[in-house]
Amino acid sequence: KNEVEQSPQNLTAQEGEFITINCSYSVGISALHWLQQHPGGGIVSLFMLSSGKKKHGRLIATINIQEKHSSLHITASHPRDSAVYICAVYNAGKSTFGDGTTLTVKP
Amino acid sequence: DTAVSQTPKYLVTQMGNDKSIKCEQNLGHDTMYWYKQDSKKFLKIMFSYNNKELIINETVPNRFSPKSPDKAHLNLHINSLELGDSAVYFCASSPLDGNTIYFGEGSWLTVV
């Protein structure tokens, strides 16, 4: 079992839908990171969280340290949101990545 | 200006060769990283380095070595390349508080 589990693995949505991607982890962490990787390969940092909630535009990330769980929400999804979303946890200089969630948003 | 730049973007080389991938960041960050993304698209950290400490992922073969001539550069040297080294290698940097991380565009290495 991976130390970081993401669900779902694949997600297809219609434009405009509200999307949730989940990340559960089994190790102690100092921070959790959500990354976005587009088909061209580039990786963009979306959020780094150690507690609570962060919002940027249509993206919202939450983390519950007690439950060892984080969610990434996308409101009013758009085809340009289609990408792989990766959860990563950090502790003492070591990072562990989830396997990613492939999101496809259809027009 | 590109915040984190890697060169080369594409590299095809033969087994047994020694090669380097260069990484530079102009963000003034203290910590730099190298990640490997394999054919299954899984990202794994290889090294994290600041001016005080090098942390090595214990699964990384010692044929891989990071070299940092200064705070803005962290180059990746690979000796005796093997077929399994074929992957995309990403460089990244972050400030000491770790609140965000910036990735380079990746270097596609193919070993033939």
Side-chain angles (χ1 to χ4, degrees):
Chain A
K1 186 172 161 61
N2 289 343
E3 291 178 333
V4 180
E5 296 275 351
Q6 285 186 234
S7 63
Q9 273 191 320
N10 296 285
L11 179 56
T12 300
Q14 287 298 129
E15 183 172 358
E17 285 184 2
F18 180 82
I19 287 162
T20 296
I21 299 171
N22 296 299
C23 176
S24 296
Y25 53 93
S26 57
V27 295
I29 69 170
S30 56
L32 182 142
H33 205 172
W34 281 102
L35 305 169
Q36 179 193 56
Q37 186 171 28
H38 278 283
I43 299 176
V44 176
S45 167
L46 298 175
F47 297 103
M48 186 167 268
L49 296 163
S50 54
S51 65
K53 176 180 172 178
K54 286 189 177 180
K55 184 176 189 292
H56 186 260
R58 295 181 293 107
L59 301 176
I60 303 167
T62 63
I63 187 169
N64 185 316
I65 296 294
Q66 286 72 32
E67 294 184 4
K68 294 188 172 160
H69 181 267
S70 176
S71 293
L72 177 69
H73 306 284
I74 305 174
T75 60
S77 60
H78 190 276
R80 64 175 175 266
D81 297 327
S82 297
V84 176
Y85 292 84
I86 303 167
C87 169
V89 299
Y90 292 84
N91 189 39
K94 179 187 170 189
S95 61
T96 307
F97 288 80
D99 293 342
T101 295
T102 302
L103 171 66
T104 305
V105 181
K106 295 185 175 179
Chain B
D1 285 342
T2 305
V4 181
S5 59
Q6 300 178 224
T7 54
K9 184 161 181 150
Y10 299 100
L11 179 58
V12 180
T13 188
Q14 289 187 319
M15 282 175 57
N17 284 349
D18 302 338
K19 289 293 178 186
S20 296
I21 306 172
K22 295 184 178 180
C23 179
E24 176 182 3
Q25 53 97 2
N26 62 7
L27 299 164
H29 287 167
D30 295 286
T31 306
M32 297 183 71
Y33 311 84
W34 276 105
Y35 295 86
K36 178 181 179 182
Q37 187 172 42
D38 60 24
S39 57
K40 295 181 181 177
K41 304 296 184 184
F42 300 147
L43 262 175
K44 295 187 191 306
I45 191 165
M46 302 176 72
F47 306 100
S48 68
Y49 183 79
N50 60 32
N51 57 2
K52 297 177 185 176
E53 190 176 16
L54 171 66
I55 299 176
I56 302 171
N57 184 322
E58 61 192 11
T59 66
V60 175
N62 58 14
R63 297 181 295 104
F64 291 78
S65 57
K67 299 236 186 319
S68 181
D70 55 56
K71 194 172 110 165
H73 297 83
L74 185 66
N75 303 325
L76 182 65
H77 294 271
I78 315 169
N79 294 326
S80 303
L81 278 156
E82 300 178 358
L83 293 177
D85 298 332
S86 296
V88 184
Y89 292 86
F90 286 95
C91 177
S93 73
S94 68
L96 267 180
D97 62 12
N99 273 337
T100 191
I101 186 165
Y102 291 84
F103 283 82
E105 294 183 341
S107 294
W108 273 253
L109 172 65
T110 303
V111 182
V112 297

